[in-house]
Amino acid sequence: MESPFRADVLIGKVALLTGGGSGIGFEISAQFGKHGASIAIMGRRKNVLDDAVLVLQSLGIPAIGLVGDVRKQEDAQRVVEATVKHFGKLDILVNAAAGNFLVSAEDLSPNGFKTVMDIDSVGTFTMCHEALKYLKKGGPGRCSEHGGFILNISATLHYTAAWYQLHVSAAKAAIDALTRNLALEWGTDYDIRVNGIAPGPIGDTTGMSKLVPPEMNSKARDYMPLYKVGEKWDIAMAAVYLASDAGKYINGTTMPVDGGLWLSKPRHLSKDAVKQLSRTVEKRSRATPAGLPTSKL
Ligand code: COA
């Protein structure tokens, strides 16, 4: 699908994306590149990064792949520095790396819980920590007025509760807290904007194949407000909006991009039934003199 944004909205920007070699992270990489940014992608698997870089370069996007694990501070530091060494600066950090699996709370081991917290929450903070000196206003390659931008990919699971996703709900809740607190402190001190996107179910992703059994996909259509699974493009367009000057006054927000799914509830009454019921109730209450309990009538 074609982008509704001008092709130069991110011109001259340098973006580093964790988990940028596949899934939602790759789509954001490609769309940032198509809108003018140079791209560094970080991931654990060299072959995935190599393939992704080839695709980006075939689109005319300046791109490099950097192998690293967000759980290792030395990797985070090396990758941030290699990005700046290669492209001269860093404007945008996208934390899209995530780990997930379905497991009931009683079968989840403390190490399983910790593993997801380490990848999602601690990994996001470690990347932000290492990138700060390059993203702050007046940092290397930056002017003294404008700081960079951080985008954290989160979820909507923890807005309520989610079956078999205790570890991920906890990890994403921590990410949303990071987004708000960094937006407050680093927005004030360094002119860095920090925002998040909370994707709903997005087709053709590892998350979808790992977490949603195929028979659920068709059932989901019955209760999803927009009756469809999202596309990676939907997330990438929200990312372009937030990263571009269109989002210059948006800070500390995590935007759900889920078609309104997290609000969904099964319909307990048909619209006709509701009309009938509410009219009847109104008529009954009009016929009741004020102050008298209906039981006395
Ligand atoms: N159910 C229950 N526990 C699980 C599990 C599962 N499906 N998969 C892993 N774990 C537990 C392990 O048992 C281990 O805990 P233990 O030592 O108490 O047994 C712990 O999690 C770490 O597992 P390990 O396989 O060593 O971790 P890893 O670092 O190699 O892999 C994962 C990390 C588990 C998150 C892996 O799924 C991954 O790398 N995912 C990345 C891609 C991804 O999930 N993308 C989805 C985005 S939505």
Side-chain angles (χ1 to χ4, degrees):
M1 243 166 102
E2 213 169 296
S3 164
F5 297 101
R6 259 190 3 227
D8 64 352
V9 290
L10 296 177
I11 199 85
K13 303 282 186 200
V14 175
L16 166 62
L17 300 95
T18 71
S22 61
I24 288 172
F26 177 71
E27 183 67 18
I28 299 174
S29 303
Q31 291 296 346
F32 276 12
K34 286 181 184 176
H35 289 82
S38 301
I39 304 297
I41 53 179
M42 175 181 182
R44 284 181 299 168
R45 294 166 297 170
K46 184 167 184 324
N47 59 326
V48 172
L49 291 182
D50 287 347
D51 291 350
V53 165
L54 279 180
V55 175
L56 294 174
Q57 288 174 343
S58 73
L59 295 167
I61 299 167
I64 55 168
L66 299 161
V67 175
D69 187 332
V70 295
R71 288 173 285 188
K72 296 182 184 147
Q73 190 178 354
E74 62 276 18
D75 284 13
Q77 187 183 27
R78 175 179 46 77
V79 164
V80 168
E81 274 165 15
T83 304
V84 175
K85 194 165 177 214
H86 189 87
F87 291 118
K89 61 175 183 156
L90 178 65
D91 300 294
I92 300 170
L93 169 67
V94 179
N95 290 299
N100 203 348
F101 45 83
L102 283 177
V103 64
S104 70
E106 70 191 76
D107 289 333
L108 175 64
S109 71
N111 192 41
F113 182 87
K114 182 176 178 300
T115 299
V116 172
M117 292 297 287
D118 280 348
I119 300 171
D120 292 27
S121 323
V122 184
T124 294
F125 178 69
T126 304
M127 292 303 298
C128 294
H129 177 268
E130 295 304 326
L132 172 62
K133 70 175 167 194
Y134 299 106
L135 292 175
K136 60 166 75 167
K137 65 182 178 186
R142 312 201 64 77
C143 72
S144 58
E145 278 175 45
H146 297 297
F149 174 65
I150 296 173
L151 178 66
N152 296 327
I153 304 302
S154 173
T156 60
L157 306 167
H158 53 294
Y159 294 177
T160 52
W163 283 101
Y164 312 132
Q165 291 281 270
L166 166 70
H167 45 326
V168 185
S169 297
K172 299 300 190 185
I175 291 178
D176 289 357
L178 274 176
T179 297
R180 287 188 294 268
N181 284 275
L182 292 181
L184 172 69
E185 292 197 27
W186 292 358
T188 307
D189 293 343
Y190 302 124
D191 192 59
I192 296 172
R193 287 190 301 120
V194 188
N195 288 303
I197 292 177
I202 301 297
D204 195 22
T205 58
T206 313
M208 194 74 174
S209 51
K210 265 187 155 180
L211 308 178
V212 186
E215 65 274 19
M216 279 291 292
N217 292 348
S218 53
K219 266 196 220 156
R221 287 163 202 268
D222 295 341
Y223 59 79
M224 288 177 66
L226 294 184
Y227 297 103
K228 57 192 165 206
V229 165
E231 295 168 24
K232 287 178 274 192
W233 185 90
D234 295 310
I235 307 303
M237 287 302 114
V240 171
Y241 166 63
L242 290 170
S244 73
D245 283 346
K248 69 183 172 46
Y249 200 49
I250 303 175
N251 190 28
T253 280
T254 295
M255 182 195 282
V257 181
D258 73 337
L261 178 62
W262 83 270
L263 301 166
S264 67
K265 289 197 174 86
R267 198 193 291 260
H268 64 297
L269 276 178
S270 72
K271 277 200 261 186
D272 283 342
V274 119
K275 259 184 218 159
Q276 296 252 325
L277 184 73
S278 74
R279 293 285 176 212
T280 317
V281 172
E282 271 172 45
K283 270 186 209 145
R284 210 187 295 144
S285 64
R286 260 189 242 126
T288 309
L292 266 185
T294 42
S295 60
K296 299 269 179 201
L297 294 172

